[in-house]
């Protein structure tokens, strides 16, 4: 693609490549090989339920709360991508973790983020290129902006998890080159 061409004005083949790239970026933010460093899934390795539920930084969300929040927004974006108009209540935006730290429930929460990213990524690959330009129903942004946003959202919260792990004294993940 010439340096002056933008995906928004390019043809369907370029849009297909863009969607494939976005789906790959979503995968890398959760599973690994993200350009910025450890991905969310990498950061969650070695975190147990008690650590995930802890609040080592006053007034900050726990790792568990962040994981549930990221999974929620993967699903919201997936549904909005298909034209559904959704309003997200606070309780849905930040679903509470179980009252007691349970390793099985924690493992399910972590797997929920992985499944959510995989499902959203797979459905992104089926998206017709023209849909990237559509305005998300009830919102002032395009599907393209929303998809980029959910990727940025995952990276942002991965950074929060890294800080919370550090505050907990949990061994950090090695830097990725």
């Amino acid at each position: 693609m010439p340096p002056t061409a933008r995906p928004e004005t390019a043809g369907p083949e370029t849009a297909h490549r863009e969607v494939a790239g976005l789906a790959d970026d979503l995968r890398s933010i959760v599973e690994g090989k993200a350009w910025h460093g450890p991905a969310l899934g990498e950061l969650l390795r070695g975190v147990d339920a008690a650590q995930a539920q802890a609040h080592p930084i006053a007034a900050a969300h726990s790792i568990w709360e962040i994981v549930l929040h990221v999974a929620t927004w993967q699903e919201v974006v997936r549904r909005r991508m298909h034209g559904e108009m959704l309003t997200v209540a606070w309780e849905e935006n930040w679903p509470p973790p179980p009252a007691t730290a349970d390793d099985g429930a924690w493992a399910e929460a972590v797997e929920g983020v992985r499944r959510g990213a995989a499902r959203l990524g797979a459905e992104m690959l089926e998206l017709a290129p023209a849909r990237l330009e559509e305005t998300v129903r009830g919102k002032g942004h395009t599907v393209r902006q929303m998809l980029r946003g959910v990727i940025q959202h995952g990276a942002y919260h991965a950074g929060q998890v890294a800080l919370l792990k550090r505050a907990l004294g949990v061994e950090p993940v090695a830097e990725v080159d």
Side-chain angles (χ1 to χ4, degrees):
M1 177 167 58
T4 56
R6 295 187 52 182
E8 298 89 43
T9 59
E13 184 180 312
T14 301
H16 277 298
R17 283 195 309 269
E18 180 185 8
V19 171
L22 290 168
D24 187 57
D25 288 347
L26 176 66
R27 183 209 48 76
S28 72
I29 288 297
V30 174
E31 295 301 325
K33 304 240 190 258
W35 72 268
H36 66 274
L40 184 59
E42 293 169 314
L43 289 163
L44 296 174
R45 271 191 236 119
V47 174
D48 64 31
Q51 292 164 332
Q53 208 169 44
H55 289 269
I57 300 173
H61 289 285
S62 69
I63 292 173
W64 203 323
E65 290 167 336
I66 290 169
V67 165
L68 294 175
H69 172 73
V70 169
T72 293
W73 280 95
Q74 290 168 340
E75 180 62 11
V76 167
V77 165
R78 187 191 69 74
R79 290 172 60 187
R80 285 181 176 169
M81 181 178 73
H82 290 295
E84 204 170 323
M85 192 162 110
L86 295 173
T87 302
V88 182
W90 178 260
E91 303 79 37
E92 295 169 301
N93 188 17
W94 289 99
T100 57
D102 172 83
D103 286 328
W106 169 237
E108 179 57 31
V110 172
E111 185 56 29
V113 168
R114 289 190 172 104
R115 274 193 318 263
R119 183 176 182 189
L120 176 58
E123 291 181 24
M124 285 167 64
L125 292 172
E126 300 298 320
L127 194 66
R131 295 281 327 282
L132 290 173
E133 295 304 318
E134 289 179 12
T135 299
V136 175
R137 215 169 149 210
K139 300 294 170 190
H141 53 263
T142 65
V143 170
R144 172 185 281 109
Q145 291 168 317
M146 180 180 68
L147 295 177
R148 286 180 180 161
V150 76
I151 294 162
Q152 294 163 358
H153 183 250
Y156 169 78
H157 285 301
Q160 288 182 317
V161 169
L163 290 172
L164 289 167
K165 281 183 73 170
R166 184 165 294 204
L168 286 166
V170 177
E171 187 65 29
V173 176
E175 288 294 317
V176 178
D177 292 328

